[in-house]
Amino acid sequence: MSAVNNKEGGKKKVEEQQITLTRVINYLDISDGRDKFIKLIQYTFKLIVWYCSKYQHKPELGKTLAFYIKALSDARKVIRFGMFLKSIRPLLELKFDGSLDSTFNTLSVVCGGNSDLMDDLVWICKKGNFNDSLADRLDWIAEWSWMISLWGDIPLSYFEVLKDPKTPQKKFNLLKLLFDFVHCTSQGGCFPRFKSEFCIAFFGLMSAILSNNKLWKKVKS
C-alpha cells in the first residue's frame, strides 16, 4: 500500500512540475512576459553593481554585470519596440469631459503613449549613430512623458483601490506605480537633484517584482 501511495505521489509531483514548466513557457512566450523577466534580472544586476561600487566590493564583478545590464537593456528595447501602437485605440476612444477621472485618464493615455514613442526614437538614434544631442532631447521628453503619465496613473489606481479595497491586486498595482514614480524621479532626467543610483536599482527591482507577479497570475489563471 505504501509503495502504491509513493508511486501516485511521485506521479502527481511530476505532473505538477510539468504544469509549472508549461506555465513558465507560456509566460516567456508573451513579449510582455519576456520584458518583465529580463527587467527583473537587469535591476537585480543593477543593485549588485551599485553595492560593488558603493563598498568597493569585487569591482571586476561590477564591471562584468554592467556589461550584461547594457545587453539586457538593449534586449528590452527591441522587445518593447512599437509599444506606442497600443495607445492608438485608447487615444481614438479618449473623451475629455473635464472631470478628474477624465483628466487623469487623458494624462495616462497621451503621455504614456508618447513616452513609448520617444523611447523608440531614442533607441533608433543611438543605434543609428545619429545626433547625440537629439537623442538626449528625446530621452528628456520620454522621461517627462513617463512622469506625467504616472501623475495620471497613480490617482486612477488609487480610485480603484477606494472602490474595491478588499482586492489585493489593486493595492499591488498602486504600489507598483508608486515604485515607478520614485524610480522615474531617481533617474534625474526630470529632477537632476534627486538622481540616485540606489533608488534607480532598488525601486526598479521592486517594480519588476510586482510586474512579474501580476503577469504571472494572469498566465497561471
Side-chain angles (χ1 to χ4, degrees):
M1 188 70 177
S2 176
V4 173
N5 289 337
N6 288 337
K7 186 176 181 180
E8 289 180 352
K11 185 178 180 181
K12 186 177 180 182
K13 187 175 181 180
V14 170
E15 288 175 351
E16 288 175 351
Q17 289 174 344
Q18 289 176 342
I19 290 171
T20 301
L21 179 60
T22 301
R23 286 172 178 165
V24 171
I25 293 170
N26 290 339
Y27 183 82
L28 295 176
D29 197 39
I30 305 170
S31 62
D32 201 28
R34 290 198 300 274
D35 173 47
K36 298 297 184 290
F37 183 70
I38 293 172
K39 181 181 179 181
L40 186 65
I41 300 172
Q42 177 188 0
Y43 281 95
T44 299
F45 285 179
K46 273 183 176 285
L47 198 57
I48 296 172
V49 168
W50 171 84
Y51 179 85
C52 291
S53 174
K54 177 75 174 178
Y55 298 101
Q56 296 298 309
H57 180 71
K58 295 185 177 180
E60 291 302 319
L61 174 62
K63 290 179 181 178
T64 302
L65 292 183
F67 170 79
Y68 285 111
I69 289 169
K70 177 65 170 61
L72 292 170
S73 178
D74 286 341
R76 290 187 63 213
K77 293 289 185 183
V78 174
I79 292 171
R80 292 181 57 81
F81 192 83
M83 284 287 286
F84 71 92
L85 295 172
K86 285 188 175 182
S87 64
I88 291 178
R89 179 172 291 179
L91 273 171
L92 295 174
E93 296 174 352
L94 198 61
K95 294 180 180 178
F96 182 72
D97 58 15
S99 65
L100 273 178
D101 278 7
S102 176
T103 301
F104 292 137
N105 188 53
T106 299
L107 291 176
S108 173
V109 172
V110 175
C111 294
N114 188 62
S115 177
D116 288 332
L117 175 59
M118 292 300 109
D119 277 339
D120 287 354
L121 294 177
V122 169
W123 183 76
I124 291 171
C125 285
K126 288 183 177 180
K127 287 301 174 183
N129 292 320
F130 296 143
N131 192 318
D132 288 341
S133 63
L134 174 61
D136 290 340
R137 285 195 292 269
L138 292 173
D139 197 29
W140 182 83
I141 294 171
E143 282 200 37
W144 265 110
S145 296
W146 185 29
M147 172 68 75
I148 296 171
S149 73
L150 288 170
W151 294 347
D153 288 332
I154 291 172
L156 289 173
S157 182
Y158 178 67
F159 294 156
E160 286 296 315
V161 172
L162 291 180
K163 289 177 186 175
D164 187 12
K166 293 184 179 180
T167 304
Q169 188 57 53
K170 293 187 177 181
K171 294 179 181 178
F172 286 142
N173 291 344
L174 176 59
L175 185 60
K176 187 260 180 191
L177 289 169
L178 292 172
F179 285 151
D180 283 342
F181 179 78
V182 179
H183 179 206
C184 182
T185 304
S186 303
Q187 291 189 139
C190 301
F191 308 106
R193 65 180 295 182
F194 294 120
K195 185 169 183 178
S196 167
E197 293 300 328
F198 169 75
C199 287
I200 290 172
F202 179 78
F203 288 100
L205 178 59
M206 294 299 103
S207 174
I209 290 171
L210 291 179
S211 295
N212 276 277
N213 177 66
K214 179 181 178 180
L215 198 57
W216 175 254
K217 285 181 177 178
K218 285 184 180 180
V219 174
K220 192 176 179 181
S221 60

